[in-house]
Amino acid sequence: MKLVYQLTAIILIMVLLVSCGGRATTGDETYDNGDSDEVVQPDEQQGDNSEGQQDVGSDVSGSPANAAESYGAYIEAKGEVVTTLTDALASNPGTELDSISLLGVVMVDMALLPASSFGLGQVAASTTLGFLGAEDIEYSENGNEYSVKYRGDEGEQFELQGVYDKAADALKCTSLKDGKESLISEYRKTSFGYVAQIYSINEDGSSYLYQLAISGKDGAVGISEASAAPSALTGSETIDFPKQCTEWYAIKGDAFTGVTSDGRELSFEYTPSEDGE
């Protein structure tokens, strides 16, 4: 699981490097790497046109400059907590196999990878998905709405749609495979960190709900079978929000608690393994 987050981090870094190499644009434009013959405008004229260009760096207030930067910060925070929970279960006698339950909440990040290009343009999307062998990559955006379409190595047609609320630092994504919804994911910034939920639909028709609360290195992940997508997040959820699920795992400092898929209650002191440090 740690490898998945490391791979995601590497791809995110590559995308940011590409975006920093030139001017981010909409899906119908390309990056300006300084090779064009475009005349440099005076400062006043550049100020008039700057609103039409997408930001690459953070704004003065420190909030994310765009959806891609917001998503990267969320994924980093999520990865730290999920890795800790996984390591705690895998290294504690008697709970090693329970760590497999967290595999699903990790693997969905691969389907959401196109979100790392939201707000950065076609080149960033092509870099992100081309790294994984995707073809026919099409990026588009309209205001705060984004779409990345691509073809998989077996001919499947994928699309990730996203809507970013910058004021709330919240992103909701819908993943489609051959025109059918396969994943709905959203996260919101809160006073303590993040809350998130992921509704995943399997090919056999079964579906699962993952709910997360993240506060620095502390947090919780809940897992339940679900028959329908949950209500949208409000941002008023608490750090214990995921504990409403039938199965959940939480870490606070070195105190690990949880309820397994077969109903066993867990409570033990977490000692990081060499892999988890």
Side-chain angles (χ1 to χ4, degrees), residues 81-105:
V81 169
V82 174
T83 297
T84 298
L85 291 172
T86 303
D87 183 61
L89 287 168
S91 60
N92 181 65
T95 61
E96 297 91 342
L97 294 180
D98 295 308
S99 64
I100 298 175
S101 292
L102 295 173
L103 183 60
V105 77

Side-chain angles (χ1 to χ4, degrees), residues 169-188:
D169 194 4
L171 177 66
K172 183 172 183 178
C173 294
T174 302
S175 178
L176 297 95
K177 179 180 179 181
D178 293 328
K180 296 182 179 180
E181 287 187 358
S182 59
L183 187 73
I184 300 174
S185 172
E186 64 174 322
Y187 67 82
R188 294 182 70 93

